[in-house]
Amino acid sequence: MEVGMSVVSKRILWIDIVRAVGMLFIIWGHSLKEWQSYQAAFFLTVNVPIFFALSGYLYHPQKVMKQVYKLVFNLLLPYFFTAFVIIFVSFVSNHVPHGATIMSIGSDKDTFKAFIFGMGGTAPLIGTKIIMPQIGAIWFLVALFWDSIVFNMMMKKLDQKTGGFWLGGLITIFMAIFGFWLTPFHSGIHVNGELPWSLNATMIGLFFMWFGQLMKRIPQIWKSKRLGWLLVLVSTVVYLLVCYHDRGYHFGMATAVANSWTITMIGSLSGCVVMLLSAYWIEQQLKETKWQRGLVAIAHYGQASLVVLCFHIMELNLINPGTFISSWTHFPPAIDTFTIVLYRIAVSLIAIWIVKHSSFLSKIFVNRQNPFKFQERIRFKND
């Protein structure tokens, strides 16, 4: 989730719109009362894969050591800070009397294990009967860290060779299959278990990165309005059908589980196509019109997607909004969910404002634009 707080440029406007929609899908999916439903499948089948696809679309070759250095500050630093807040508040919640509004993600020991292993779902650790607690959706930052490095190394090695890009695609497909196969349950039978540091999801995410880069390399869908919208229409139909198929057991990328690996992946890829091409062609249609200001506002929210994700996960893990929303309003479930979504969007907007006006937090969450002073003294060869 690459983030910038600077002015949105027209060149990347549609990309930040995709980020904004992806974050809204994450927030809405986390706010649903019933996860075994069509609505859950609709929001959760594409909400995380789209960010891997975006990273693949934006890929450019980098020197590995320089890339690792940047990723440590841009992805792992926000992960550590967010996890620290979750651990601290959970510890306080476990030992200090409080109301039902503040929550803990588990015991002190489980909270620390969740931070160390960085897993997005509660699952057995591979090769053991140890159930690892989850840290929440910031597992994505750990998985993207690994994927970005592996994808860069793979593409630099293969892309210069004839057919190398397609060989890379084949490798990522097999890795995705292996990631699914390793999951704790396959057809109801215990197989292996989850790898630490969200490596199961990492193997699946690598394929979405390759797919994002593939879309970038097909110029026809970006140049032909008719072809682009036709592909959006077909992909939308496929996505909705897959969501209906998965309505009782949606895609859980965090734990690498799916109702049907093949069908679910087709649905996720279709959703990525819809989001990418729709945002691109909507921008093309509305740029330099009175609607562009609205698109820019949405894009600013997408630029801050890393801030939105981390503060949303803090709120999701540590605050129970039902104590001050559902218990007061007594709305029907659908309206209650919508109210909680609005509340969480408001929380994210406040978080964006706080980070923007905090020198320290901007260095944590927008390090690319606001590095620490010591980073300015670090140089790499051929910089």
Side-chain angles (χ1 to χ4, degrees), residues 33 325-326 329-342:
K33 302 293 184 181
I325 294 180
S326 304
T329 57
H330 302 291
F331 288 143
I335 299 178
D336 187 51
T337 296
F338 184 68
T339 305
I340 292 176
V341 169
L342 292 179

Side-chain angles (χ1 to χ4, degrees), residues 47-176:
N47 62 352
V48 176
I50 186 60
F51 287 102
F52 285 96
L54 269 179
S55 295
Y57 181 92
L58 295 169
Y59 163 76
H60 61 277
Q62 301 179 69
K63 290 188 175 181
V64 175
M65 289 307 300
K66 186 175 182 179
Q67 180 197 27
V68 171
Y69 165 80
K70 291 192 296 184
L71 290 173
V72 166
F73 285 97
N74 294 328
L75 293 177
L76 294 190
L77 182 60
Y79 172 83
F80 288 137
F81 181 87
T82 305
F84 172 79
V85 172
I86 293 173
I87 290 172
F88 177 77
V89 176
S90 293
F91 179 83
V92 172
S93 177
N94 289 339
H95 297 280
V96 178
H98 62 282
T101 301
I102 304 300
M103 302 187 300
S104 168
I105 66 170
S107 66
D108 296 344
K109 182 179 179 180
D110 282 349
T111 303
F112 186 73
K113 286 196 298 184
F115 158 66
I116 294 297
F117 287 93
M119 295 166 65
T122 302
L125 192 63
I126 190 167
T128 73
K129 295 182 179 181
I130 302 173
I131 304 298
M132 297 307 301
Q134 60 176 320
I135 192 62
I138 53 172
W139 67 266
F140 164 81
L141 303 178
V142 180
L144 186 59
F145 174 82
W146 297 119
D147 269 341
S148 298
I149 296 170
V150 172
F151 190 74
N152 182 41
M153 294 174 65
M154 182 181 72
M155 294 305 298
K156 288 178 67 175
K157 193 75 173 179
L158 297 177
D159 216 12
Q160 302 303 319
K161 300 179 179 180
T162 303
F165 177 74
W166 299 104
L167 175 59
L170 191 62
I171 292 172
T172 62
I173 289 175
F174 280 115
M175 289 192 70

Side-chain angles (χ1 to χ4, degrees), residues 230-343:
L230 178 61
L231 191 55
V232 168
L233 177 62
V234 173
S235 298
T236 300
V237 172
V238 173
Y239 183 73
L240 294 177
L241 288 175
V242 171
C243 289
Y244 182 79
H245 175 270
D246 289 349
R247 65 193 183 279
Y249 196 72
H250 66 80
F251 180 29
M253 189 170 177
T255 50
V257 294
N259 192 1
S260 167
W261 303 347
T262 305
I263 294 176
T264 296
M265 289 295 282
I266 290 172
S268 294
L269 295 174
S270 298
C272 290
V273 171
V274 173
M275 294 178 75
L276 292 170
L277 289 181
S278 294
Y280 175 79
W281 285 111
I282 287 173
E283 183 203 349
Q284 296 302 307
Q285 190 74 24
L286 300 182
K287 67 180 180 180
E288 299 180 359
T289 69
K290 63 180 181 180
W291 299 102
Q292 181 165 331
R293 183 172 296 181
L295 294 181
V296 170
I298 296 172
H300 273 297
Y301 188 81
Q303 271 191 317
S305 55
L306 179 60
V307 176
V308 175
L309 174 71
C310 292
F311 278 81
H312 166 60
I313 296 308
M314 292 181 207
E315 180 275 328
L316 183 68
N317 282 336
L318 303 173
I319 299 176
N320 178 16
T323 59
F324 55 88
I325 294 180
S326 304
S327 60
W328 294 353
T329 57
H330 302 291
F331 288 143
I335 299 178
D336 187 51
T337 296
F338 184 68
T339 305
I340 292 176
V341 169
L342 292 179
Y343 148 76

